[in-house]
Amino acid sequence: MFIIDLLITLVVIVSAWSTGRLIINALNMRTESCVIDLVLSLGLGIGTLVYIQMICGFTGSFSTLQAWLTVICMSVVGIFGLVSYKPIIKYEQVLQLLPSSVLDKLILLGIGALSVLYLLVALAPTLDGDSLAGYLVVARDFVKQGGVFSATYAYTNLFPANGQLIAALGFSLKGQIVAQLLTVWFMGFFGALGLYSIGNKLFNSRISLIGVFAWYSMASVAVLSASVKVDLVWAAFEIISIMAFSQWYFAGRNQRDWRWLIITGLFLGIAFGTKHATAFTAIMLAIAVAYRLYADKNVSLKAWLVSYSSIVVFALPGLVWVIRSVVISGSLGFAGSDLAGESGF
């Protein structure tokens, strides 16, 4: 049966990628490499999927039919985009990405081996306590109830739930294993791709591979891969938001495309709607925008307004979960004050 789970997961990933490709072409965005193109396409496609899930969740529309219609519609839209624009990833470009040295091949082999091991773990039902008491049960019960509701019996009830919406899609399509594959295994692999794209832009292929291997082999990633926690969803969108931001930040003054800031804001909003710790990244990027514009000198007020508003406006949907928390409990989010081990700030 795990073959069916893998096939369904692959269908979701391909439909997200093809939808993201259509968005890139519709915006006439230019990417430096096929890796950045792949990461950006997947990010935009998964982001679209998250917001569709959010709308369906808050309108009480979760069902098996809704999930399959979502994936089928995204696939049809994506196929239309591929036929109309044709993907820019060519065979020759893929060959250029393959490492030539023995050391680089060994590092890539190690990354591949880790991914296979994490995949095998994701194919078995998790025994992680946080998942069984919070993340997993909330996603499952969202589907059972047909939409987003206040699951007061789960300690993650007041947490932002973009990650659980992805898991809920897996439950609607097939069951727990698809939820695990989409939320944990794929997002870990996606985060690794994002890290590679950043490293390749700033340094070179070997440094990128070493960085990816160092991150992907961390104990924290290994532990998360045996769970249905949302941390890898959060990490992936944090990473690709930084990737998108770097496309704007490191461009020349007259070559900067403000649409990269819009995409940065979109990814930050999805990350913030997964874990509120994204606020720290947002603060650092806000400082980076100020530094870049100030260093340019004589930048117009309009440029300052466009730069910040491009990020902020498209990140705003992430606040939906804060508003939900205020409505439910009167607080901005879960502070842990009711836990037995709580000992103050």
Side-chain angles (χ1 to χ4, degrees):
M1 294 298 290
F2 73 91
I3 297 296
I4 298 176
D5 295 317
L6 286 171
L7 287 174
I8 291 173
T9 302
L10 182 62
V11 168
V12 174
I13 294 170
V14 171
S15 68
W17 168 75
S18 58
T19 301
R21 283 290 309 140
L22 177 62
I23 295 172
I24 290 174
N25 282 304
L27 294 174
N28 196 28
M29 296 290 294
R30 295 181 179 180
T31 53
E32 298 176 4
S33 69
C34 58
V35 176
I36 293 177
D37 183 270
L38 174 61
V39 172
L40 186 59
S41 298
L42 285 171
L44 290 172
I46 296 297
T48 300
L49 194 57
V50 166
Y51 284 125
I52 291 174
Q53 283 290 97
M54 187 183 293
I55 293 169
C56 292
F58 281 106
T59 57
S61 305
F62 281 159
S63 68
T64 300
L65 178 62
Q66 168 268 322
W68 279 109
L69 280 177
T70 298
V71 174
I72 291 171
C73 288
M74 288 182 65
S75 298
V76 171
V77 168
I79 291 171
F80 169 77
L82 294 178
V83 171
S84 301
Y85 298 103
K86 297 182 176 58
I88 65 169
I89 300 177
K90 299 179 181 179
Y91 179 70
E92 295 78 10
Q93 291 175 314
V94 175
L95 286 180
Q96 291 175 0
L97 292 174
L98 297 178
S100 56
S101 71
V102 175
L103 177 59
D104 290 353
K105 288 178 180 177
L106 288 174
I107 298 171
L108 183 60
L109 182 63
I111 294 170
L114 287 170
S115 186
V116 171
L117 290 174
Y118 293 153
L119 175 62
L120 293 176
V121 171
L123 288 171
T126 183
L127 298 176
D128 173 69
D130 282 344
S131 301
L132 297 177
Y135 298 103
L136 185 65
V137 71
V138 166
R140 180 201 65 188
D141 289 356
F142 278 175
V143 173
K144 282 186 175 181
Q145 295 290 332
V148 175
F149 71 104
S150 180
T152 54
Y153 47 83
Y155 82 94
T156 56
N157 182 41
L158 296 181
F159 285 9
N162 280 350
Q164 287 92 315
L165 293 181
I166 296 174
L169 178 70
F171 273 110
S172 296
L173 292 171
K174 175 77 163 52
Q176 181 178 332
I177 301 303
V178 177
Q180 292 178 183
L181 289 170
L182 289 174
T183 311
V184 181
W185 175 74
F186 169 63
M187 284 300 168
F189 182 75
F190 184 34
L193 275 176
L195 281 176
Y196 181 84
S197 66
I198 294 173
N200 215 26
K201 176 179 177 60
L202 300 180
F203 305 104
N204 56 52
S205 179
R206 175 170 293 179
I207 290 177
S208 301
L209 288 172
I210 293 172
V212 169
F213 183 78
W215 179 78
Y216 209 32
S217 62
M218 289 172 63
S220 57
V221 175
V223 169
L224 290 169
S225 295
S227 73
V228 196
K229 293 187 178 76
V230 299
D231 299 73
L232 288 177
V233 179
W234 169 60
F237 277 100
E238 285 249 315
I239 289 167
I240 64 173
S241 69
I242 295 171
M243 180 213 73
F245 183 76
S246 69
Q247 302 300 309
W248 176 86
Y249 186 87
F250 291 105
R253 178 171 181 172
N254 297 324
Q255 284 76 46
R256 292 196 197 109
D257 189 342
W258 56 269
R259 290 176 296 181
W260 283 113
L261 294 181
I262 289 178
I263 294 172
T264 299
L266 175 69
F267 292 157
L268 280 177
I270 295 170
F272 185 77
T274 306
K275 286 179 77 75
H276 288 334
T278 296
F280 295 106
T281 303
I283 291 170
M284 295 306 297
L285 293 188
I287 294 172
V289 170
Y291 174 80
R292 172 55 63 221
L293 294 178
Y294 180 77
D296 283 344
K297 297 179 180 179
N298 300 320
V299 176
S300 67
L301 177 61
K302 179 182 177 181
W304 283 83
L305 292 175
V306 169
S307 298
Y308 278 107
S309 61
S310 297
I311 295 177
V312 172
V313 170
F314 283 83
L316 284 178
L319 292 175
V320 166
W321 300 107
V322 176
I323 296 170
R324 174 179 179 265
S325 179
V326 171
V327 171
I328 292 174
S329 67
S331 65
L332 293 176
F334 176 74
S337 59
D338 295 330
L339 295 177
E342 192 273 330
S343 59
F345 181 78

